[in-house]
Structure formats: C-alpha cells, structure tokens
C-alpha cells in the first residue's frame, strides 16, 4: 500500500494529498489566466481571487464535513483541524468559493457570469487532480469487490494494489470521479466558445451533478441527513 507521506522535511511530513490539491490549483489558475483576457478580465484578478478564495474554500470544505460528522468530531475536537488526514467535502468548498466569487466580482466590477464561466473548467480540472489525494490517503472508496472485478475493468495494477483496504478490495470511486471530471473538462474546453454567457457554468454543474449522484451512491463514507446522502441531494438540485 502506498505511503500517504510523499517526503519528509525535518519534522514536517509533506503528504501526497497536499501535493495533489496544490497541483490541481496551479493548473486551474493557469487555465483561468489564459481564458480571462477573452472576457476582459485581468490575469491579476484571477490571482487575487485565488489568494482569497482558496484558503476560504479549504475552510468551507472542512467546516461542511465537520458539521455533518459532528457526532464524531464532538468527541474528538482535536481532530477538527487535521485536514491532512482528509475530510474536505468538495461541495462545501464549491459553495464557499461561489460566495467569495460573487462578492469579489462585484467589488472588481467584473460580470459574475463571465467569471463563473472562466472558473468552471478550471475548478473541474482541479477536482480531477485533487481526487488522487483520496487515493493516496486510502479514502473515498466504494464497497467490497474482488480483485478480478477490478482487473476485468482494465484498472492499473498500482491502483488495484492500493485499493486493498481493511482486508478487502474496494471500488476505486476516486478514479471514476477523476476520470469523469477530466472528460468533462475536455468537453467544456471544446464547447465554451460556442456557448452563451452562463452556459459553461451551467454545463459544469450539470455534468458534475450527474457524475456525483452516480458515484456517491457507490461510496461507503457518505455524509447523511437522516437516510439521505447529502451529496446526492445537492447533485439532484444541480
């Protein structure tokens, strides 16, 4: 099984989880900065937005997760800030990021829909790369399956080996979402010049909503409200 720690710098452990998130962020900023001038938005505006939105989105993603797992965290208060162990809910980050974007765009006199259209493919490529953090952390997986089940689906051996968790092979749901998001990014990049204002963003939330509804139903670590999976409810709304 792959070690979640990529390398050590003195007493500090740098985890694959963090590297995946940061790599996704860098690529997202690059894509958005290239597209921004086409909407008369400065590349500096993209950088300024990320410097504000990224840390707040991390907080939002963690807060969302903790709220819906408060039965656990109320008994383990010291773990609330241990985001290196996972537990960042993407919907919490997206909601926080959208709120920040609205106020940022208003302050900079940027059309909000144009900004969302630029952000959508960038966010999705960051999601695609970020899901590999779950792979290295051995989390966000599905139910038990056989090794032959995974091999029959042409899943690479190194992924199959790392999906042996708690004595059984698991559905690599992180891989399904990562692959779907990657394909969706290509679709958005190919179509964005043919779509009207706000339609790139609308396409993003529809594409992601469909994928997340399906994959969330396969996961074993869903957040619930009663008997309903929260992410499936939000995906249906999208």
């Amino acid at each position: 099984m792959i070690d979640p720690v990529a390398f050590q710098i003195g007493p500090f452990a740098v985890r694959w989880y963090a590297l995946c998130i940061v790599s996704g962020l860098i690529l997202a900023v690059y894509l958005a900065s290239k597209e921004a001038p086409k909407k008369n938005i400065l590349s500096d505006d993209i950088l300024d937005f990320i410097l504000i939105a990224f840390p707040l989105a991390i907080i939002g993603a963690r807060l969302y997760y903790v709220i819906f797992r408060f039965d656990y965290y109320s008994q383990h208060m010291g773990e609330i800030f241990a985001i290196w162990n996972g537990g960042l809910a993407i919907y919490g980050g997206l909601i926080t990021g959208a709120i920040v974007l609205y106020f940022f765009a208003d302050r900079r006199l940027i059309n909000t829909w144009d900004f969302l259209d630029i952000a959508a493919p960038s966010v999705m490529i960051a999601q695609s790369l970020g899901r590999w953090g779950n792979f290295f952390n051995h989390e966000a997986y599905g139910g038990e399956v056989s090794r032959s089940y995974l091999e029959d689906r042409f899943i690479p051996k190194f992924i199959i080996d790392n999906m042996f968790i708690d004595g059984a092979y698991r559905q690599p749901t992180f891989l399904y979402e990562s692959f779907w998001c990657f394909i969706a990014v290509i679709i958005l990049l190919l179509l964005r010049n043919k779509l009207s204002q706000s339609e790139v963003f609308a396409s993003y939330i529809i594409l992601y909503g469909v994928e997340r509804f399906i994959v969330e139903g396969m996961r074993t670590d869903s957040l619930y409200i009663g008997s309903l999976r929260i992410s499936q409810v939000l995906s249906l709304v999208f």
Side-chain angles (χ1 to χ4, degrees):
M1 185 172 285
I2 297 175
D3 189 341
V5 176
F7 56 88
Q8 200 89 14
I9 302 178
F12 299 103
V14 178
R15 292 176 173 258
W16 287 110
Y17 188 82
L19 294 178
C20 289
I21 291 176
V22 172
S23 297
L25 175 67
I26 292 172
L27 185 53
V29 171
Y30 173 79
L31 288 177
S33 297
K34 288 295 184 182
E35 183 65 14
K38 298 178 184 179
K39 301 287 187 179
N40 296 316
I41 298 174
L42 299 175
S43 296
D44 284 350
D45 287 328
I46 301 297
L47 293 175
D48 290 345
F49 169 72
I50 289 297
L51 289 173
I52 299 170
F54 180 66
L56 291 178
I58 292 291
I59 294 171
R62 184 59 171 178
L63 183 62
Y64 181 101
Y65 186 84
V66 169
I67 288 173
F68 290 108
R69 288 291 309 278
F70 196 68
D71 55 336
Y72 172 82
Y73 286 104
S74 62
Q75 305 299 318
H76 304 83
M77 299 295 286
E79 296 183 25
I80 288 179
F81 301 102
I83 62 172
W84 49 85
N85 290 328
L88 296 176
I90 184 63
Y91 274 136
L94 292 176
I95 292 169
T96 304
I99 293 171
V100 175
L101 184 147
Y102 173 81
F103 287 104
F104 180 89
D106 183 66
R107 186 174 181 83
R108 293 291 177 95
L109 302 179
I110 299 171
N111 184 284
T112 302
W113 290 117
D114 285 342
F115 211 154
L116 286 170
D117 283 341
I118 290 172
S122 300
V123 170
M124 191 158 261
I125 194 63
Q127 289 175 247
S128 181
L129 288 174
R131 276 298 171 201
W132 284 86
N134 300 135
F135 168 71
F136 291 110
N137 259 14
H138 317 122
E139 63 187 5
Y141 49 78
E144 295 184 14
V145 293
S146 66
R147 185 179 181 92
S148 60
Y149 173 94
L150 299 175
E151 291 172 341
D152 290 344
R153 281 149 184 79
F154 305 104
I155 295 173
K157 183 178 181 297
F158 78 96
I159 294 178
I160 294 175
D161 291 342
N162 206 51
M163 284 292 101
F164 190 76
I165 302 170
D166 295 334
Y169 288 99
R170 307 285 180 165
Q171 284 273 22
T173 50
F174 86 91
L175 179 64
Y176 304 152
E177 180 159 325
S178 177
F179 182 72
W180 184 299
C181 287
F182 180 74
I183 296 301
V185 169
I186 294 174
I187 293 172
L188 292 178
L189 292 179
L190 290 175
L191 294 180
R192 67 181 175 186
N193 292 329
K194 301 178 182 180
L195 297 175
S196 300
Q197 188 182 68
S198 81
E199 290 182 345
V200 175
F201 174 69
S203 299
Y204 160 72
I205 62 173
I206 291 169
L207 285 168
Y208 184 64
V210 170
E211 175 275 320
R212 187 58 186 268
F213 182 84
I214 296 170
V215 174
E216 188 67 25
M218 304 169 66
R219 287 176 55 168
T220 59
D221 62 342
S222 297
L223 302 174
Y224 285 85
I225 296 180
S227 61
L228 299 176
R229 297 174 190 251
I230 300 167
S231 290
Q232 284 191 316
V233 173
L234 284 175
S235 296
L236 274 178
V237 172
F238 286 165

